[in-house]
Amino acid sequence: VTSDLLEDHVNLEFFEMLYADKEFCAALGRMTLAAGRFESNLRAFLGLKGVTVSPNEANLGSLISHLEKHGLLSENGVQVLRGPKFQRNYLTHNLFDLFSGRIGETVVPRTDLVPEDVSTFTDMAWQLEQNFSGLSSIAEERIKQLNGGKAPSSGVDARLFRP
């Protein structure tokens, strides 16, 4: 999309509907909190594995890169984490650009949306929050194991982290 925005590429009215919708904003807020919890758990896990992460590099993308660099993620874990990271970044950083026509449609549509579509965006944020909460539980189980605790092993953590 060029700097000359075309009217059919702009849907700020739908952005305003999202902004005004309490359920969407609550779901987005919960997703953001769940992602922050997961980031904190990844920092703790890395620390227990002897990897120091500077506070300036403590965002989700950098944490995943550290995990990959140090061979701490399973092959499946790399794929599992890339999806939620991309979706979280898109929902938190790109919606205004999408609806203002500054970026093209990729992950979600911007045209032909009706007020009822707000619930679809709410569901996306809710599902992402559930994903981050589940990932945090896995990380917390592994952290407990590394601290000598007897966390009940579901086997799921081995699908994310290397043993």
Side-chain angles (χ1 to χ4, degrees):
V1 177
T2 66
S3 60
D4 298 358
L5 302 176
L6 302 173
E7 275 303 309
D8 63 338
H9 290 274
V10 176
N11 192 351
L12 289 176
E13 183 179 324
F14 191 79
F15 178 84
E16 293 300 329
M17 280 189 260
L18 289 174
Y19 189 82
D21 189 85
K22 289 179 181 178
E23 288 182 33
F24 172 74
C25 290
L28 190 63
R30 283 190 307 274
M31 180 275 296
T32 302
L33 291 171
R37 178 182 178 181
F38 184 56
E39 288 173 342
S40 178
N41 284 322
L42 290 181
R43 282 191 302 275
F45 175 76
L46 284 163
L48 288 169
K49 288 294 196 171
V51 179
T52 303
V53 179
S54 99
N56 295 337
E57 295 180 3
N59 64 62
L60 187 56
S62 294
L63 293 167
I64 293 169
S65 293
H66 281 293
L67 290 165
E68 287 181 88
K69 176 182 170 185
H70 294 282
L72 298 171
L73 286 177
S74 68
E75 191 171 315
N76 183 61
V78 172
Q79 297 306 314
V80 165
L81 295 184
R82 283 187 181 153
K85 178 192 81 118
F86 177 78
Q87 293 167 353
R88 189 279 316 253
N89 286 348
Y90 197 87
L91 280 177
T92 57
H93 301 296
N94 292 13
L95 289 183
F96 186 80
D97 283 344
L98 172 71
F99 292 117
S100 66
R102 294 179 181 152
I103 62 171
E105 291 178 307
T106 54
V107 177
V108 295
R110 103 170 116 239
T111 55
D112 300 323
L113 296 169
V114 295
E116 292 77 17
D117 288 324
V118 169
S119 67
T120 301
F121 283 76
T122 302
D123 290 345
M124 288 172 29
W126 178 84
Q127 184 60 58
L128 194 51
E129 180 261 327
Q130 295 296 303
N131 291 347
F132 278 119
S133 292
L135 289 168
S136 277
S137 294
I138 293 168
E140 288 164 3
E141 182 176 312
R142 181 53 68 95
I143 289 166
K144 188 172 182 179
Q145 290 170 347
L146 290 171
N147 281 324
K150 293 185 178 182
S153 180
S154 62
V156 174
D157 62 330
R159 285 183 257 160
L160 184 60
F161 300 110
R162 290 199 187 277

